[in-house]
């Protein structure tokens, strides 16, 4: 096929911007052929660019030459059109298209490039195979749904940048080639050619750099930063992902919260949604008691402790541990489950840490009618609601600690609350259609997603759809039964509560961290902490973690030294940008909101990475292939 040259031709308008007000206007448009319909003397092209789609008409009588060329045009050809905007006849108006009241009457057609038939069409809504989409990502990204996500992401990131700049934050870049950072995942390593046998690590987060920026007196730092973690992948993980990372000098915990609320509200506004601030705030213990999770989904009924309902004899005959909570898990409107459904649901329950599930309340009712009636009453469950009981199993003894601080949850209690909480989450996902509690969120996203792109300011109320909540006062340590050691629950620069410091060694389980999470609708959006700023405290923490001075020095020596040169109190947080965009796009996977993501097997199918490298490269790096 003979292609036309672009010559001096210049685009005057984009396809999606044309409206009736432009009736009669001369235009030059450029874009991709979305569809072609040949009606003999008339050929219609739907021309697509980022802004949208407009209908082009080529009339054999009016422009015979262009009409003839249009016969050879195929979907995804790149063309330029010279023509005039005109009002469509009443019968031809398409109310589903923003440009549906007009069409462009072509006078000239330039075929700038042809295209192979793509493996799937950007014009189709249903595109099945994700591997194909990722391999031909450039075709996939042409789809309006993907373009919307990319644009939304841009608008959100821009809004966040503006907001943080207004709040006095400086955007500062930190290196990608650095040394191991303390987030606890596996590093991606980069071999040094200049220093054979030595490696850079890609940052798991800018953690130590941002703390050093505070030591450097820069007061308020932020970065929309890429982080690299070589972890086993889950559906909502990517080996490289983006965080909105910030750090500030002299904050209280609440100072950090107000900053985040400000930029998150701005991000939501960019997607057309009003997110009311300030957010709710609960402690970790309370979150576990009420939701069985440290990332509570507040759209569903809370857990209810129904211990009081059962007498000692009931508890004994049910094989329940009387020292632990007895929890009612309540999901509205699910209806009674069949035996088969109950069996299918059992794998969703994790009883490994000594929890026990009673999922047949009908049967329980036969032996304990009064108790079950009282459970229903306490849980405020209607007859058509699903009700289950999770309790401690008297027959399994779990090695776990009990804290000595009155009013705080012990590890064994936490195990029961978590078992109930994850069952609640799993079942609520499974029965989402029946209980309908998530529909409000989807509804608001859909409504907002319909907003025209140039809308300024948020207009849709998100208060009944999005439930952001701060979770505070996490435990500082977690007991690892395998090594029988107290392990840091967070990175080792997280400050303990000042008043808990003296119990660091005598009762680690009772020590609270000045650590906080932001959760929303059952997802963790981010976490942060007030940091340790004194060298003596930092050493104490390292030793309470069983890390020797040498080991600490070897890993973080540069940072420990920096701590000695006038370190101010400081703290910060990082929120996952990919996840925020995913929520606001109403997407089911992070891959829908990242332009070039990796698969669940950590592979980039488009560029085919990772890939072997040449012998020469290996030799330069003095890396040897393993034989055999
Ligand atoms: N660096 C931490 C993380 O990536 C966040 C923080 O503590 O600011 O989770």
């Amino acid at each position: 096929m003979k292609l036309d040259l672009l010559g001096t031709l210049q685009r005057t308008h984009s396809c999606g911007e044309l409206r009736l007000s432009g009736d009669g206007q001369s235009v030059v448009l450029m874009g991709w052929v979305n569809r072609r319909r040949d009606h003999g003397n008339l050929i219609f092209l739907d021309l697509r660019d980022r802004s949208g789609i407009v209908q082009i008409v080529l009339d054999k009588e009016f422009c015979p030459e262009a009409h003839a060329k249009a016969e050879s045009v195929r979907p995804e050809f790149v063309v330029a059109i010279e023509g005039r905007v005109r009002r469509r006849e009443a019968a031809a108006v398409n109310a589903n298209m923003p440009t549906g009241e007009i069409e462009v009457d072509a006078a000239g057609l330039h075929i700038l490039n042809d295209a192979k038939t793509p493996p799937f069409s950007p014009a189709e809504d249903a595109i099945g195979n994700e591997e194909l989409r990722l391999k031909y990502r450039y075709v996939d990204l042409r789809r309006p749904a993907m373009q919307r996500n990319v644009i939304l992401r841009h608008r959100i990131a821009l809004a966040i940048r503006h907001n943080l700049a207004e709040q006095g934050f400086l955007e500062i870049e930190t290196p990608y080639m650095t040394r191991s950072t303390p987030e606890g995942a596996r590093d991606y390593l980069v071999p040094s050619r200049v220093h054979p046998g030595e490696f850079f690590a890609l940052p798991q987060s800018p953690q130590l750099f941002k703390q050093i920026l505070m030591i450097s007196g820069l007061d308020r730092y932020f970065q929309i930063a890429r982080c690299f973690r070589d972890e086993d992948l889950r559906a909502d993980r990517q080996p490289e992902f983006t965080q909105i990372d910030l750090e500030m000098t002299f904050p209280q915990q609440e100072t950090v919260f107000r900053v985040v609320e400000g930029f998150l509200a701005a991000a939501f506004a960019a997607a057309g949604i009003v997110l009311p601030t300030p957010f709710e705030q609960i402690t970790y213990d309370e979150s576990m008691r009420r939701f069985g999770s440290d990332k509570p989904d507040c759209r569903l009924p809370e857990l209810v402790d129904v211990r009081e309902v059962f007498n000692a004899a009931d508890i004994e005959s049910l094989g329940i541990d009387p020292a632990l909570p007895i929890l009612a898990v309540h999901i509205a409107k699910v209806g009674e489950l069949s035996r088969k459904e109950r069996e299918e649901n059992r794998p969703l329950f994790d009883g490994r840490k000594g929890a026990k599930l009673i999922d047949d309340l009908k049967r329980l009712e036969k032996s304990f009618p009064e108790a079950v009636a009282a459970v229903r009453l306490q849980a405020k469950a209607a007859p058509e609601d699903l009700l289950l009981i999770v309790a401690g199993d008297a027959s399994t003894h779990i090695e776990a600690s009990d804290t000595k601080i009155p009013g705080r949850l012990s590890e064994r209690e936490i195990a029961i609350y978590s078992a109930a909480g994850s069952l609640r989450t799993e079942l609520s996902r499974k029965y989402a259609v029946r209980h309908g509690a998530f529909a409000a969120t989807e509804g608001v996203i859909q409504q907002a997603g319909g907003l025209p792109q140039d809308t300024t300011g948020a207009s849709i109320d998100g208060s009944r759809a999005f439930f952001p909540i701060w979770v505070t006062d996490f435990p500082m340590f977690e007991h690892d039964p395998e090594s029988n050691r107290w392990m840091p629950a967070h990175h080792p620069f997280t400050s303990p509560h000042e008043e808990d410091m003296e119990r660091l060694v005598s009762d680690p389980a009772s020590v609270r961290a000045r650590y906080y999470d932001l959760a929303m609708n059952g997802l963790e959006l981010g976490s942060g902490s007030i940091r340790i700023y004194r060298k003596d405290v930092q050493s104490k923490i390292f030793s309470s973690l069983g890390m020797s001075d040498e080991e600490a020095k070897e890993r973080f020596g540069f940072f420990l030294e920096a701590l000695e040169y006038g370190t101010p109190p400081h703290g910060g947080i990082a929120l996952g940008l990919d996840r925020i965009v995913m929520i606001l796009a109403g997407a089911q996977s992070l891959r829908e909101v990242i332009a070039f993501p990796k698969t669940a097997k950590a592979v980039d199918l488009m560029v085919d990475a990772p890939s072997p490298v040449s012998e020469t490269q290996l030799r330069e790096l003095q890396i040897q292939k393993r034989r055999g």
Side-chain angles (χ1 to χ4, degrees), residues 458-516:
S459 50
I460 296 169
D461 175 17
S463 63
R464 284 161 178 277
F466 300 98
F467 295 87
I469 184 163
W470 291 107
V471 183
T472 63
D473 300 324
F474 277 72
M476 182 86 181
F477 302 98
E478 268 165 9
H479 192 252
D480 176 28
E482 258 165 51
S483 61
N484 194 26
R485 259 173 58 173
W486 287 94
M487 304 301 276
H490 325 285
H491 58 65
F493 306 103
T494 303
S495 169
H497 270 254
E498 280 168 7
E499 62 268 37
D500 297 351
M501 293 263 279
E502 62 198 29
R503 295 191 308 275
L504 273 176
V505 178
S506 61
D507 186 10
S510 74
V511 178
R512 289 162 303 167
R514 296 180 77 190
Y515 177 93
Y516 32 82

Side-chain angles (χ1 to χ4, degrees), residues 182-183 204-208 210-211 227 229 241 243-247 491 494 515-516 524 526-529 531 571-575:
E183 305 297 343
Q204 295 181 28
S205 82
Q207 186 62 35
L208 294 178
K210 68 174 174 175
Q211 292 192 236
C227 304
R229 297 184 194 176
F241 59 94
Q243 282 186 344
I244 305 147
D245 189 47
L246 63 87
E247 194 75 11
H491 58 65
T494 303
Y515 177 93
Y516 32 82
E524 185 193 314
S527 52
S529 59
R531 324 294 182 189
I573 193 164
L575 265 63

